[in-house]
Amino acid sequence: MNQLTEEFPRFGFWKYRDILALWGYPWNHKKIYRVYYELGLNQSRSTKKRLPDCDPIPLFVPQTRGSRFGMFNVIDNFNRESLVIKIDTSLRAARLVRVFERLKETRGLPDVLRVGYGSEFLGGIFVEWCQANAIFIDYIVAG
């Protein structure tokens, strides 16, 4: 058992028992567990990381049509019509800027853009473009 614990310090009891059985030791699991416990090898399980409790922030209610867009696909919040559909394995920040430039000519830009924490929304190109066009980026609450 000492040899096992030196070689594999993070293995659990059942893994040690299986290895000892493969090595041909005839001890049952109760005897192995007793030795395992007396050596102080039992380790506490890692607990699931919990998100801290937080007060939900009330959502902004748009006053006019087209004043707020939600991303993943650009959606008009009043009647849920898709304004632009782009399908790809990855969308870069520069490509999002090009899409919004075309949308600016045809439909106009929103005052608020609600997005997730994707790298395309956090990139400097997209954030600078939004600041230059007076668009507030509203990131969703994590969790």
Side-chain angles (χ1 to χ4, degrees), residues 58-70 75-80 110-114 138:
L59 291 176
F60 169 78
V61 178
Q63 301 300 320
T64 60
R65 180 182 172 107
S67 64
R68 182 177 177 92
F69 290 169
I75 297 174
D76 185 8
N77 284 334
F78 278 95
N79 59 7
R80 301 282 188 218
D111 300 326
V112 179
L113 188 63
R114 187 163 170 85
D138 182 17

Side-chain angles (χ1 to χ4, degrees), residues 1-108:
M1 183 69 95
N2 288 332
Q3 180 187 351
L4 274 176
T5 57
E6 287 173 13
E7 226 176 304
F8 309 105
R10 295 294 299 168
F11 278 6
F13 160 73
W14 288 105
K15 194 156 257 209
Y16 287 143
R17 189 201 63 87
D18 290 342
I19 292 172
L20 288 172
L22 283 174
W23 287 354
Y25 292 102
W27 308 315
N28 68 8
H29 68 281
K30 291 179 257 180
K31 180 179 257 183
I32 296 171
Y33 185 76
R34 189 169 48 247
V35 172
Y36 177 81
Y37 185 78
E38 287 173 1
L39 289 174
L41 298 174
N42 48 340
Q43 301 165 1
S44 60
R45 291 185 179 200
S46 60
T47 58
K48 184 177 180 182
K49 293 181 183 176
R50 305 253 182 229
L51 289 174
D53 291 335
C54 61
D55 296 329
I57 300 168
L59 291 176
F60 169 78
V61 178
Q63 301 300 320
T64 60
R65 180 182 172 107
S67 64
R68 182 177 177 92
F69 290 169
M71 282 297 289
F72 294 118
N73 55 350
V74 180
I75 297 174
D76 185 8
N77 284 334
F78 278 95
N79 59 7
R80 301 282 188 218
E81 67 184 33
S82 292
L83 302 175
V84 177
I85 297 175
K86 289 289 175 189
I87 300 171
D88 204 346
T89 54
S90 68
L91 291 172
R92 306 272 178 193
R95 186 164 179 198
L96 280 177
V97 168
R98 286 196 308 268
V99 168
F100 273 102
E101 282 294 334
R102 266 188 269 132
L103 191 61
K104 182 167 131 179
E105 296 168 5
T106 59
R107 185 76 180 234

